[in-house]
Amino acid sequence: MPGSTRERLMAELAVVSRRYMASYTLFNQALADHLGLHPTDLQCLNLLTLEGGPVTTGRIAELTGLTTGSATRLVDRLERAGHVVRERDADDRRLVLVATVPEKAAEFRRVWDRVGDGWIALFDDLDDPQLALFIDHMRRTTDFGAQQAARLRAGAV
């Protein structure tokens, strides 16, 4: 195989990355199907459970990269499915917050834990510096993915 080790590794990384993203997308679809949700709604629910409390629809738009109108429709779907409720902010009654329904959030976490335990086990044999490398990689790819999604939504290719 011609080329340096670095060139071969970079070429392999390009292929493995695309397979990784496809695998995660298909996993996300399967999990969404299992829970009776749209894949975007599933990930919004996932992000809401990580927020630590009720958020505005504007915050949901920020988290998902959706317009506020699309975020409102997403919240409507999650509300109809019983996963979230809208409530008035206690300090500013003009604000409407979106809160997860505790029983549904607990159910979501149980399902996520069942599929997520296997994911975490993939890293059991790594030492601390290797784990730190993966954490850094995931943070960087999360940021990169958000930047690329924003570019695509803006019409850039």
Side-chain angles (χ1 to χ4, degrees):
M1 193 182 264
S4 69
T5 300
R6 176 92 177 164
E7 288 171 336
R8 286 192 308 273
L9 287 172
M10 294 303 283
E12 183 178 358
L13 178 61
V15 171
V16 169
S17 295
R18 288 177 58 193
R19 288 186 191 280
Y20 175 83
M21 287 185 271
S23 172
Y24 185 79
T25 299
L26 296 170
F27 160 74
N28 186 60
Q29 181 68 59
L31 184 55
D33 290 346
H34 177 78
L35 293 171
L37 295 171
H38 184 278
T40 302
D41 299 0
L42 169 70
Q43 288 309 317
C44 178
L45 184 59
N46 178 37
L47 293 169
L48 287 173
T49 64
L50 297 172
E51 280 295 288
V55 298
T56 64
T57 303
R59 176 66 179 144
I60 291 171
E62 290 173 16
L63 289 169
T64 60
L66 297 172
T67 65
T68 54
S70 293
T72 297
R73 289 187 294 280
L74 187 154
V75 171
D76 290 344
R77 290 190 303 271
L78 287 175
E79 189 173 41
R80 277 193 305 275
H83 287 278
V84 301
V85 294
R86 288 177 166 100
E87 55 189 37
R88 293 274 175 203
D89 184 286
D91 297 326
D92 184 348
R93 302 290 297 157
R94 296 170 295 171
L95 281 180
V96 175
L97 299 175
V98 178
T100 57
V101 172
E103 298 81 18
K104 288 287 201 169
E107 175 188 331
F108 175 79
R109 278 191 286 279
R110 280 191 300 276
V111 171
W112 193 259
D113 287 348
R114 282 196 303 273
V115 295
D117 283 348
W119 170 256
I120 296 301
L122 292 174
F123 302 95
D124 283 347
D125 62 336
L126 302 181
D127 61 25
D128 291 351
Q130 290 171 317
L131 281 174
L133 178 65
F134 267 97
I135 291 167
D136 180 59
H137 161 73
M138 288 180 184
R139 284 190 177 125
R140 289 169 53 185
T141 56
T142 298
D143 293 343
F144 180 77
Q147 291 166 5
Q148 294 308 308
R151 283 184 63 234
L152 290 167
R153 285 187 190 97
V157 179

